[in-house]
Amino acid sequence: DAGITQSPRYKITETGRQVTLMCHQTWSHSYMFWYRQDLGHGLRLIYYSAAADITDKGEVPDGYVVSRSKTENFPLTLESATRSQTSVYFCASSGLAGDDEQFFGPGTRLTVL
Amino acid sequence: AQKVTQAQTEISVVEKEDVTLDCVYETRDTTYYLFWYKQPPSGELVFLIRRNSFDEQNEISGRYSWNFQKSTSSFNFTITASQVVDSAVYFCALGRGANNLFFGTGTRLTVIP
């Protein structure tokens, strides 16, 4: 399917477990992003990537790991999930210019018990 | 520091009323971009508009209009003749180099039929 997809859409896990959220885009966009959305905070940037093998931290990177071996994929891993990481996670992508509009995936709702 | 303030947490209007959503931003950059996104109840984020810091012309798109004033660091969004389908959370965001988007906390608009 064309566009940007995320999987899973819903995930329940337990404290201390490792969780990986997947993001896939079909536009060959250079830039990809991970945000978390929490009530009262809007969306906050976790990590972003300007190209394959290039990643950088955003506003709230602690507890998260990313990789980007292929342009189209940008997985986000919670190495040891904590309850404070319960959130809705959005992946986004944008074209060559960094300030182009970002296109967002449908989101993953993660609950950490 | 970059900051986006959406002081209106929730707004309710009756259908066909006009409504303005406020957005005030802070930045020391001379070049930056401002965005509005819509998040309907289904949860996805929909891009509405991008404006760069050198373009202060107001924009109108159907029932939507945007007023960008650098003198007051504001980028307000007006919906004319609101409809039930406009019910959503609206986010204002500030973009700069390095692809960082700073989001406001959002304004939840409810249009009552």
Side-chain angles (χ1 to χ4, degrees), chain A residues 9 31 33 35 37 39-45 48-50 57-59 90 94 96-106, chain B residues 31-33 35 37 39 42-50 89 91 94-106 108:
Chain A
R9 294 292 313 279
Y31 294 94
F33 310 83
Y35 294 90
Q37 182 178 18
L39 202 61
H41 290 280
L43 280 85
R44 292 179 291 175
L45 183 67
Y48 67 96
S49 169
K57 297 178 180 179
E59 182 184 355
F90 285 96
S94 68
L96 290 176
D99 293 309
D100 277 347
E101 64 264 29
Q102 295 181 13
F103 297 89
F104 284 80
Chain B
T31 301
Y32 53 89
Y33 293 81
F35 301 79
Y37 283 86
Q39 187 176 41
S42 52
E44 75 272 23
L45 282 150
V46 179
F47 165 79
L48 294 177
I49 190 171
R50 177 184 67 153
V89 180
F91 291 97
L94 170 67
R96 55 192 290 262
N99 314 300
N100 256 316
L101 262 191
F102 293 88
F103 283 81
T105 52
R108 180 179 298 278

Side-chain angles (χ1 to χ4, degrees), chain B residues 44-95:
Chain B
E44 75 272 23
L45 282 150
V46 179
F47 165 79
L48 294 177
I49 190 171
R50 177 184 67 153
R51 174 65 80 226
N52 74 54
S53 53
F54 299 107
D55 183 4
E56 286 192 71
Q57 285 193 354
N58 291 334
E59 174 128 357
I60 298 174
S61 177
R63 296 184 296 107
Y64 295 170
S65 62
W66 291 269
N67 183 303
F68 175 29
Q69 292 192 339
K70 289 180 74 172
S71 60
T72 56
S73 297
S74 65
F75 187 43
N76 296 336
F77 173 31
T78 297
I79 302 174
T80 303
S82 60
Q83 300 176 1
V84 172
V85 293
D86 296 327
S87 296
V89 180
Y90 291 87
F91 291 97
C92 179
L94 170 67

Side-chain angles (χ1 to χ4, degrees), chain A residues 65-76:
Chain A
V65 175
V66 294
S67 62
R68 196 168 176 205
S69 57
K70 292 183 178 181
T71 300
E72 61 267 29
N73 297 324
F74 191 38
L76 175 74

Side-chain angles (χ1 to χ4, degrees), chain A residues 80-109:
Chain A
S80 179
T82 65
R83 289 186 179 178
S84 64
Q85 292 177 310
T86 293
S87 187
V88 179
Y89 291 85
F90 285 96
C91 179
S93 71
S94 68
L96 290 176
D99 293 309
D100 277 347
E101 64 264 29
Q102 295 181 13
F103 297 89
F104 284 80
T108 294
R109 184 175 294 276

